[in-house]
Amino acid sequence: MKQWTIEQVTAEAYDTREAMGQAAAQRLAEAIRTKLQEKETIAVVFASAPSQNEFLRSLRTIDSVAWERIRCYHLDEYVGLPTEAPQSFATYLRSELFAFRTPLEFYALNGLNDPAEECIRYTKLLERHPIDIACIGIGENGQYCLQ
């Protein structure tokens, strides 16, 4: 791994996507454990894209994450697409992570709802359970976890 810091941002480069995914998953597991020392439950948002494959596959192997205390969200969804569709981002997260780990709750965006109404519904959920940690993909060659 190579690491460098510019101002307040530290970047890390890994030799393989697998190594990067494992490092990101370990960092998230540590952040989750820390947050769960402060709060009974937390909320985590996940990206849904091929750039997350190695990260999610690594994350689902970590036994020290208390999934039963985590409410999960996802970032986006296709308008007009049922959440059960193979192309759905909710389906992706269910197959890549939640088929292996069961969170307290998973709040899936509903692509069949009117977009304005779905934004209102999701906003209410976010107000009730604000995000503590966001795992946001930044393309095919990056991962990012933000506390």
Side-chain angles (χ1 to χ4, degrees), residues 3 13 15 22 34 54 72-74 78 125 141:
Q3 184 178 65
D15 292 333
Q22 289 171 357
T34 298
E54 292 80 9
C72 298
Y73 295 94
H74 67 110
Y78 292 107
L125 288 170
N141 60 357

Side-chain angles (χ1 to χ4, degrees), residues 85-137:
Q87 305 87 346
S88 164
F89 293 135
T91 295
Y92 171 83
L93 282 177
R94 285 185 181 108
S95 67
E96 291 297 321
L97 182 58
F98 303 136
F100 303 89
R101 299 297 178 174
T102 305
L104 176 62
E105 294 178 279
F106 171 47
Y107 299 119
L109 287 161
N110 187 337
L112 294 178
N113 284 352
D114 172 76
E117 290 177 15
E118 186 62 3
C119 286
I120 291 168
R121 183 186 77 84
Y122 225 58
T123 296
K124 288 179 182 176
L125 288 170
L126 290 164
E127 288 171 344
R128 193 173 331 138
H129 306 293
I131 295 169
D132 294 289
I133 301 171
C135 302
I136 301 171

Side-chain angles (χ1 to χ4, degrees), residues 45-49 51-52 56 73-76 92-93 135-137:
V45 64
F46 290 95
S48 307
S51 66
Q52 302 304 289
L56 294 176
Y73 295 94
H74 67 110
L75 286 177
D76 49 13
Y92 171 83
L93 282 177
C135 302
I136 301 171

Side-chain angles (χ1 to χ4, degrees), residues 27-46 59 64-73 98 102-107 125-126 128-135 145-147:
R27 288 259 179 87
L28 175 61
E30 291 168 18
I32 287 171
R33 286 190 292 273
T34 298
K35 283 288 182 189
L36 286 175
Q37 290 176 358
E38 303 166 11
K39 301 170 68 174
E40 184 59 31
T41 63
I42 63 170
V44 179
V45 64
F46 290 95
L59 182 60
S64 62
V65 175
W67 288 99
E68 69 279 4
R69 296 174 58 195
I70 303 171
R71 289 181 172 87
C72 298
Y73 295 94
F98 303 136
T102 305
L104 176 62
E105 294 178 279
F106 171 47
Y107 299 119
L125 288 170
L126 290 164
R128 193 173 331 138
H129 306 293
I131 295 169
D132 294 289
I133 301 171
C135 302
C145 291
L146 173 67
Q147 279 193 135

